[in-house]
Amino acid sequence: MTASRKSPAACLIGWPAAHSRSPLIHHYWLRKLDLMGGYSIEAVPPEGLAEFVLHLSSHGFVGANVTIPHKERALSLSLPDARAAAVGAANTLWYEGSQLRSTNTDVEGFINNLDACAPGWEATKDALVLGAGGASRAVAYGLIERGIRRVHLVNRTLPRARVLADQLGGDVRAVPWAAVVDLLPRAGLLVNTTPLGMHGQRPLEIDISLLPPDAVVSDLVYVPLRTPLLAAAQARGLRTADGLGMLLHQAVRGFELWFGKRPEVTAELRALVEADLAKH
Ligand code: NAP
């Protein structure tokens, strides 16, 4: 679908302009909801980012997604909401009047996907999060916001997890990988936010037989869709939430902010994106 001069258009700002599923997702919703609008990918180099973002509407856009390497600078070029400020990165921009606002929709993408896949997951007191990078920040913030009592952050580089735990506040504890074995038996939620298990990466070596029988397992990796971690969890009969679900759920809010209607994550949309993932 292409944008006419009058119909609203949004874009994904990145550098380089990598292949992204976002146009597929937003065009599907525009068609489904019978809305005029467009969504394009804009390759913007770091030296051009400030001009592009600060004049987003003059460039013809009502808002944007922001991806690597621009998420941190996009935050400083806009007025962030509490989530983007806490995560330290913005992935969605929109206008409130003439004010350019920003948020981080990975937080609700993660949480809403869990709600959809494993209702009641929040009954757990202890969540174990592997990784302490940008995605972990969004995940841990979402867990605290949702009221999970203790979040254990496991990271290869422990000081990075400590910094994150200190910044997030609440009961977030930085722990080394060696502590995982002791934490698994009381972890009602296990989340992988590292790239381990992704195609081309080393596998994630973790003994999920140690998890309690009602644990929920989530993996942010979505290539492959069914990661070895998720496959092992499903083989044990545990409930799971995958990375593609998070990707689809994180797109909902941007669409609503730009085009005025809240879209749904449907099985049809998921199948469409799965087919695209299988091609590339
Ligand atoms: P990031 O900021 O680079 O952080 C990567 C994290 O993984 C760090 O904690 C890093 O540990 C750890 N790590 C990397 N390689 C490792 C290895 N070989 N062994 C152990 N730990 C390792 O990346 P990110 O933005 O958080 O993204 C992480 C993953 O989440 C990526 O696979 C990304 O595609 C995925 N993701 C998915 C979604 C979704 O919607 N499904 C959204 C966002 C991200 P150190 O601190 O020790 O380096």
Side-chain angles (χ1 to χ4, degrees):
M1 191 170 301
T2 51
S4 77
R5 282 172 69 86
K6 283 190 181 154
S7 63
C11 64
L12 171 67
I13 305 170
W15 183 259
H19 180 75
S20 159
R21 273 84 201 181
S22 294
L24 188 64
I25 296 169
H26 292 293
H27 288 162
Y28 167 85
W29 281 331
L30 286 166
R31 268 196 318 275
K32 209 70 194 162
L33 294 167
D34 201 19
L35 295 172
M36 294 295 291
Y39 187 99
S40 57
I41 295 184
E42 300 291 322
V44 180
E47 61 275 18
L49 185 72
E51 189 282 332
F52 194 88
V53 166
L54 294 173
H55 301 102
L56 195 60
S57 78
S58 328
H59 286 284
F61 298 107
V62 295
N65 283 133
V66 183
T67 188
I68 292 165
H70 296 322
K71 289 191 199 179
E72 285 80 15
R73 272 190 71 213
L75 183 84
S76 63
L77 293 167
S78 57
L79 180 65
D81 69 1
R83 284 179 174 174
V87 173
N91 72 350
T92 302
L93 302 171
W94 81 101
Y95 285 100
E96 232 171 52
S98 58
Q99 174 69 59
L100 187 66
R101 300 294 318 270
S102 61
T103 187
N104 189 308
T105 62
D106 278 343
V107 178
E108 68 216 68
F110 172 70
I111 295 292
N112 292 352
N113 185 43
L114 266 182
D115 283 341
C117 297
W121 64 271
E122 72 274 25
T124 185
K125 293 189 179 67
D126 289 87
L128 181 52
V129 178
L130 310 177
S136 169
R137 219 168 237 282
V139 163
Y141 180 76
L143 293 174
I144 297 164
E145 202 184 50
R146 190 60 176 263
I148 300 306
R149 195 179 294 171
R150 280 179 298 270
V151 178
H152 306 271
L153 286 182
V154 176
N155 201 41
R156 177 178 61 179
T157 312
L158 190 57
R160 197 176 181 194
R162 287 208 184 99
V163 169
L164 181 50
D166 287 348
Q167 286 174 351
L168 287 171
D171 195 348
V172 182
R173 302 167 182 195
V175 282
W177 275 94
V180 169
V181 174
D182 295 328
L183 288 168
L184 282 169
R186 59 185 160 107
L189 176 67
L190 171 68
V191 188
N192 175 40
T193 77
T194 76
L196 294 173
M198 190 192 281
H199 274 157
Q201 293 271 345
R202 283 197 299 116
L204 172 62
E205 278 159 20
I206 199 157
D207 184 1
I208 62 140
S209 71
L210 296 172
L211 284 168
D214 57 351
V216 174
V217 176
S218 171
D219 200 335
L220 270 54
V221 170
Y222 57 88
V223 181
L225 264 183
R226 194 159 177 263
T227 62
L229 175 68
L230 295 179
Q234 286 161 7
R236 238 203 88 185
L238 302 181
R239 292 186 298 166
T240 58
D242 70 14
L244 177 56
M246 173 172 167
L247 182 78
L248 299 177
H249 280 280
Q250 72 75 31
V252 168
R253 178 115 189 275
F255 186 96
E256 184 181 23
L257 289 164
W258 309 321
F259 303 116
K261 277 199 182 165
R262 190 167 179 85
E264 274 183 44
V265 174
T266 59
E268 187 183 44
L269 171 62
R270 197 185 150 94
L272 190 72
V273 180
E274 275 188 28
D276 188 65
L277 284 170
K279 277 192 254 162
H280 298 280

